């Protein structure tokens, strides 16, 4: 037992540390932290929701490796079976965003992230089935990023490599000639000078580096799939987020609102596309200055022809890169249409266009003027020049270390 003076001294230390910005979990005894995920598993198994604060504490255990792999697997599986709430997703996202490295992209940077290619067997089997049925599409959001940047918006896109037979953002970006091996300072310069940058997953230290193996072993979609597009270290305040189920649009819009995103569109296209689609209707939940609303759009309503899914089919990373180049060079067809439509939505939610129709005009202008393609060329030039700089610096340092 503490004496009275010792209790007051302990309390003062607690307050001082909090005021200095120390994480609250540093003040929680290690034994207590270890019990939190156990308590959370027991609660979730009974189909009871966690509070945002409880989820934060559990995620701190996970990111600091205080929780075992078995505990993490049990927890995320039980959470999936119960169904993740906006509060639970928000709490988890806050911890990862706070822990991860930050990239200063200035005001009004736009994020176009999706639930990128993942390691879960459920996702891989689902996409493999789509490939067999001809429904796997090319990297729409990557093509959209160049069109949006060509139209004057700052774009930060976060991605990873694929697991065969899939093609992730990082794969197609490298096939286009862009170097992904960049420091945070170089990324900040890239978005300022070029208007676009690509944040490669291994360069972002957010405490989840050990989770990949767990995700692969349990093989199902979990809360980490929902977190993937929320942890872009650029801290964008405008986001267009694609989801894989229609029921997720309102849920993820609420999460974005909780995280302080000023304006966002959460989209789900028919044929299970996590993009605004041209093959049918798209469900959109819009976040604008704290208000939320959901609605549906169809390509015909915007003067576009409804297309078949086979017309936007993707391929290997080289094939997808060629498709993107074809769009940026002014090619016509279904792939350009879906890119223009997604870029139009981004221009609209970012305030550059008053509605979809004006956004379509801006997107077409970005392509036809050559600005979208020029953005790609400048990104290739900038990132490879930085690669040479790093190599030369390394070689110089190595030579200086050599004995004379």
């Amino acid at each position: 037992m503490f004496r009275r003076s010792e209790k007051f001294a302990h309390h003062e230390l607690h307050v001082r540390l909090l005021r200095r910005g120390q994480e609250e979990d540093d003040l929680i005894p290690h034994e207590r932290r270890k019990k939190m995920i156990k308590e959370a598993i027991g609660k979730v198994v009974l189909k009871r929701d966690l509070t945002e604060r409880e989820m934060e504490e559990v995620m701190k255990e996970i990111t600091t490796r205080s929780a075992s792999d078995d505990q993490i697997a049990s927890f995320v599986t039980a959470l999936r079976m119960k169904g993740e709430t906006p509060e639970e997703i928000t709490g988890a996202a806050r911890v990862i965003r706070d822990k991860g490295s930050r990239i200063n992209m200035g005001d009004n940077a736009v994020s176009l992230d999706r639930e990128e290619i993942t390691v879960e067997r459920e996702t891989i089997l689902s996409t493999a089935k789509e490939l067999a049925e001809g429904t796997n599409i090319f990297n729409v959001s990557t093509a959209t990023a160049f069109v949006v940047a060509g139209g004057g918006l700052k774009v930060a896109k976060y991605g990873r490599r694929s697991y065969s037979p899939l093609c992730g953002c990082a794969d197609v970006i490298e096939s286009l000639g862009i170097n992904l091996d960049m420091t945070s300072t170089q990324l900040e310069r890239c978005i300022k000078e070029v208007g676009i940058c690509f944040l490669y997953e291994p360069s972002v230290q957010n405490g989840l580096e050990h989770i990949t193996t767990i995700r692969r072993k349990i093989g199902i979609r979990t809360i980490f799939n929902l977190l993937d597009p929320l942890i872009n270290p650029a801290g964008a305040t405008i986001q267009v987020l694609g989801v894989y189920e229609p029921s997720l649009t309102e849920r993820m819009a609420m999460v974005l609102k909780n995280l302080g995103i000023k304006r966002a569109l959460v989209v789900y296209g028919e044929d299970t596309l996590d993009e605004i689609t041209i093959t049918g209707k798209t469900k959109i939940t819009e976040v604008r200055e704290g208000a939320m609303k959901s609605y549906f759009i169809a390509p015909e309503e915007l003067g576009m022809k409804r297309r078949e899914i086979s017309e936007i089919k993707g391929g290997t990373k080289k094939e997808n890169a060629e498709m993107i180049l074809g769009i940026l060079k002014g090619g016509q067809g279904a792939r350009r249409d879906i890119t223009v439509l997604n870029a139009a939505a981004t221009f609209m939610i970012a305030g550059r266009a008053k509605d979809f129709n004006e956004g379509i005009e801006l997107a077409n202008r970005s392509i036809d003027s050559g600005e979208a393609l020029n953005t790609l060329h400048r990104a290739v030039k900038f990132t490879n020049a930085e690669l040479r700089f790093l190599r030369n610096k390394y070689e110089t340092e190595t030579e200086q270390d050599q004995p004379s």
Side-chain angles (χ1 to χ4, degrees):
M1 295 290 292
F2 282 124
R3 293 194 302 272
R4 183 177 179 83
S5 59
E6 290 175 327
K7 287 183 178 180
F8 279 119
H10 180 74
H11 175 72
E12 286 180 359
L13 175 62
H14 180 92
V15 171
R16 285 202 305 271
L17 288 173
L18 284 179
R19 286 176 177 172
R20 288 209 306 262
Q22 296 289 328
E23 292 186 1
E24 193 173 1
D25 65 313
D26 289 339
L27 307 175
I28 301 173
H30 185 66
E31 296 78 8
R32 169 63 181 157
R33 287 206 309 269
K34 276 197 168 183
K35 289 176 61 178
M36 288 179 182
I37 194 166
K38 292 182 182 179
E39 292 173 2
I41 292 169
K43 190 172 182 179
V44 171
V45 163
L46 297 175
K47 306 292 184 183
R48 293 166 56 193
D49 298 333
L50 302 180
T51 66
E52 185 175 321
R53 175 57 184 151
E54 287 173 329
M55 190 65 192
E56 287 178 2
E57 294 184 355
V58 172
M59 191 54 62
K60 285 173 184 175
E61 280 194 25
I62 291 173
T63 57
T64 57
R65 305 196 182 196
S66 298
S68 70
D69 289 358
D70 289 342
Q71 287 175 323
I72 296 170
S74 298
F75 174 69
V76 298
T77 300
L79 199 63
R80 161 74 186 273
M81 294 175 69
K82 176 186 75 66
E84 301 89 347
T85 66
E87 292 75 18
E88 290 164 344
I89 302 168
T90 300
R94 285 195 199 282
V95 172
I96 299 169
R97 286 158 69 104
D98 290 345
K99 189 176 183 63
S101 53
R102 304 296 292 173
I103 310 295
N104 181 16
M105 298 299 173
D107 296 331
N108 297 323
V110 177
S111 166
L112 299 175
D113 294 330
R114 302 287 185 267
E115 182 220 355
E116 271 284 358
I117 302 304
T118 51
V119 300
E120 290 81 11
R121 181 172 174 79
E122 177 182 357
T123 303
I124 292 173
L125 288 177
S126 172
T127 310
K129 180 174 181 289
E130 291 170 3
L131 280 167
E133 296 174 351
T135 59
N136 182 256
I137 65 171
F138 77 106
N139 303 78
V140 176
S141 62
T142 302
T144 300
F146 291 110
V147 176
V148 169
L153 292 176
K154 303 290 186 184
V155 180
K157 186 157 175 52
Y158 173 68
R160 61 167 63 85
R161 296 188 194 282
S162 72
Y163 287 78
S164 183
L166 314 177
C167 179
C169 172
D171 299 295
V172 75
I173 286 300
E174 286 189 323
S175 292
L176 287 166
I178 293 174
N179 165 44
L180 292 172
D181 187 17
M182 304 274 283
T183 66
S184 58
T185 301
Q186 290 171 323
L187 288 168
E188 290 171 3
R189 286 182 49 227
C190 187
I191 199 167
K192 289 175 183 175
E193 297 180 24
V194 181
I196 192 170
C197 74
F198 294 90
L199 309 162
Y200 181 36
E201 185 188 39
S203 64
V204 180
Q205 302 298 314
N206 53 25
L208 297 181
E209 295 78 20
H210 63 300
I211 297 298
T212 301
T213 301
I214 300 172
R215 292 175 67 172
R216 189 183 294 120
K217 283 181 177 179
I218 61 178
I220 60 172
R221 280 178 171 145
T222 66
I223 190 172
F224 293 114
N225 297 75
L226 301 176
L227 293 172
D228 282 341
L230 299 176
I231 56 179
N232 187 323
T237 57
I238 302 167
Q239 185 156 0
V240 180
L241 188 157
V243 295
Y244 52 83
E245 291 178 2
S247 62
L248 287 172
T249 63
E250 288 90 357
R251 205 185 314 174
M252 294 302 284
M254 180 61 72
V255 173
L256 292 174
K257 180 181 173 183
N258 292 344
L259 293 174
I261 299 295
K262 295 178 181 177
R263 283 165 283 166
L265 299 177
V266 184
V267 305
Y268 169 82
E270 286 186 351
D271 296 315
T272 67
L273 300 183
D274 56 354
E275 313 283 353
I276 298 176
T277 185
I278 55 170
T279 65
K281 289 185 178 181
T282 298
K283 181 184 178 185
I284 299 176
T285 299
E286 181 177 323
V287 178
R288 193 181 290 270
E289 310 303 340
M292 284 175 45
K293 64 177 180 179
S294 295
Y295 52 91
F296 291 84
I297 64 169
E300 300 90 342
E301 299 169 357
L302 301 170
M304 288 188 170
K305 178 183 176 182
R306 185 175 292 221
R307 303 283 190 162
E308 296 295 326
I309 194 74
S310 59
E311 296 180 80
I312 53 174
K313 183 179 177 182
T316 65
K317 58 186 179 182
K318 286 189 177 181
E319 290 169 339
N320 284 6
E322 287 298 322
M323 293 172 195
I324 292 173
L325 275 173
I327 295 166
L328 302 185
K329 289 178 178 178
Q332 301 294 324
R335 292 189 181 96
R336 171 171 171 146
D337 286 353
I338 193 171
T339 300
V340 164
L341 191 52
N342 280 272
T346 308
F347 285 129
M348 182 193 73
I349 197 62
R352 287 295 181 93
K354 66 177 184 292
D355 54 28
F356 271 97
N357 289 320
E358 187 174 324
I360 288 172
E361 292 178 12
L362 290 176
N364 280 319
R365 190 181 309 157
S366 174
I367 295 171
D368 295 334
S369 67
E371 284 302 317
L373 182 61
N374 186 41
T375 298
L376 168 60
H377 290 329
R378 289 188 291 121
V380 171
K381 182 178 180 181
F382 180 94
T383 59
N384 283 281
E386 294 299 309
L387 177 63
R388 288 194 296 273
F389 169 76
L390 284 175
R391 185 183 297 121
N392 291 339
K393 181 180 178 182
Y394 172 77
E395 289 171 353
T396 301
E397 291 174 348
T398 302
E399 289 173 0
Q400 290 175 348
D401 291 338
Q402 294 291 331
S404 56

